[in-house]
Amino acid sequence: MTVRQPAFGSIAPVFSPSVDAARQAGAPVVALESTVISHGLPFPRNLETALAVEDLIRAEGATPATIACFAGQLRVGLEAGDLEFLARSRGVSKLSRSDLAHAIVSGANGSMTVAATMVVARLAGIGVFATGGIGGVHRGAPESFDVSADLRELATTSVTVVSAGAKAILDLPKTLETLESLGVPVLVFQSDEFPAFWSRKSGLPSPLRVDSIEEIVRMHRVRADLGLAGGQLIANPIPVADEVSASVIESAVESAVKDASALGIRSKALTPFLLERVRVATDGKSLAANVALLKNNARLAARIAIRLAENPVID
């Protein structure tokens, strides 16, 4: 966990009692996004998964901090009732970096994408964030210019992000090329191949391989010592028993992308649409895999946060 005294000004986040206590004690905290709850998984699987992920982080010895915006107020750490509200509500906005100020001023309810979660985690002094898969360069981006703000955020905000790679609905080669151009280190955990979210293999070599939590923690600290802006992406392959074969996923994604194009679905609506079409096409296998990889990433993130808290980075 990165320890600092942030200058909140007039937008001080509201910390849950458990997160506030952990921050005051310098104990490990793991940030969690909330878009997966409101836009990523169907009810009640979204609520069950959110609660299970938080419990896994606690079992590892860290404190979970799910981040959202309620009535224009940034919330770092949610109670069970808050999680259920996000899981059930259909009127929750999907917030990225570009939307945060407007959401605060307008008093909106919003869930946080990877980019927005990184912004608020950094503001709150939390250095480790667990998610499912990052956004990236969408297929057809040369025509649509649809590139996720997650990539730019990784290049500017100093948070270690644990994911199962980038979502397989994306153009993975272009996503990796963009991350390299932005100077974002992509560290694949214990594998020579970049994972493709639901699948362990993408056919793309690991940009950088790491085999231990200690290597990840040392990289986090060395980047701070070097004064390098931006975070690092930890690509954590889904467990073997939970993956869906790449060939099955690719067929489902290609069909979903064609449907989205024909229906004119784009921007923030595109990813939820594609994920749902893939879920249906795989008879729910992609949904089960999504839940498994979220839990797998949460465990790894908690272990990283614990090691960082033993000798925190001061900035």
Side-chain angles (χ1 to χ4, degrees):
M1 182 178 67
T2 301
V3 177
R4 66 190 187 110
Q5 294 298 320
F8 294 130
S10 62
I11 56 165
V14 173
F15 296 97
S16 69
S18 61
V19 172
D20 192 45
R23 291 176 66 253
Q24 297 299 328
V29 179
V30 175
L32 297 167
E33 63 151 301
S34 47
T35 293
V36 68
I37 304 171
S38 62
H39 294 80
L41 301 173
F43 184 82
R45 199 68 175 273
N46 51 359
L47 179 58
E48 295 166 354
T49 302
L51 293 169
V53 165
E54 290 205 347
D55 284 344
L56 282 170
I57 290 171
R58 293 188 189 98
E60 291 291 338
T63 297
T66 301
I67 296 174
C69 181
F70 288 155
Q73 192 169 60
L74 299 178
R75 299 279 294 278
V76 180
L78 303 182
E79 304 300 335
D82 300 324
L83 295 173
E84 183 168 357
F85 170 79
L86 288 175
R88 288 181 178 274
S89 178
R90 294 174 178 264
V92 174
S93 299
K94 182 179 178 182
L95 306 180
S96 189
R97 164 185 273 267
S98 60
D99 311 299
L100 281 176
H102 182 267
I104 291 168
V105 170
S106 64
N109 294 322
S111 60
M112 301 289 182
T113 62
V114 168
T117 304
M118 290 183 72
V119 170
V120 180
R122 177 67 173 167
L123 183 67
I126 301 172
V128 182
F129 164 34
T131 185
I134 64 162
V137 180
H138 275 274
R139 302 181 187 209
E143 291 76 37
S144 68
F145 290 88
D146 193 348
V147 179
S148 171
D150 296 353
L151 303 185
R152 177 67 64 180
E153 204 61 50
L154 279 160
T156 58
T157 301
S158 299
V159 175
T160 289
V161 178
V162 181
S163 78
K167 295 181 177 71
I169 57 175
L170 303 168
D171 186 321
L172 295 184
K174 287 184 175 65
T175 296
L176 282 178
E177 189 65 36
T178 302
L179 286 167
E180 180 182 7
S181 298
L182 292 171
V184 177
V186 178
L187 313 177
V188 181
F189 190 59
Q190 299 179 344
S191 177
D192 289 323
E193 190 164 337
F194 184 71
F197 195 59
W198 296 293
S199 309
R200 291 179 61 84
K201 297 182 180 296
S202 65
L204 302 169
S206 300
L208 299 166
R209 174 174 174 148
V210 291
D211 289 298
S212 68
I213 291 170
E214 181 58 34
E215 288 177 87
I216 296 169
V217 171
R218 288 181 64 193
M219 289 248 332
H220 182 104
R221 291 178 176 140
V222 168
R223 286 180 58 80
D225 290 342
L226 289 170
L228 292 173
Q232 55 183 8
L233 177 65
I234 313 304
N236 185 32
I238 184 174
V240 174
D242 299 306
E243 73 170 328
V244 183
S245 73
S247 60
V248 169
I249 290 296
E250 184 59 25
S251 175
V253 170
E254 286 183 357
S255 177
V257 168
K258 289 178 182 177
D259 290 345
S261 177
L263 294 169
I265 296 172
R266 58 180 64 86
S267 190
K268 291 183 181 180
L270 180 58
T271 294
F273 174 86
L274 295 176
L275 293 177
E276 175 60 15
R277 286 300 176 100
V278 172
R279 182 191 70 80
V280 172
T282 60
D283 294 323
K285 293 184 178 67
S286 66
L287 176 60
N290 198 345
V291 172
L293 65 86
L294 283 165
K295 294 177 179 179
N296 192 48
N297 295 340
R299 289 190 191 94
L300 179 57
R303 293 168 186 175
I304 294 168
I306 289 166
R307 293 301 300 273
L308 276 175
E310 294 171 358
N311 184 15
V313 174
I314 309 296
D315 65 8

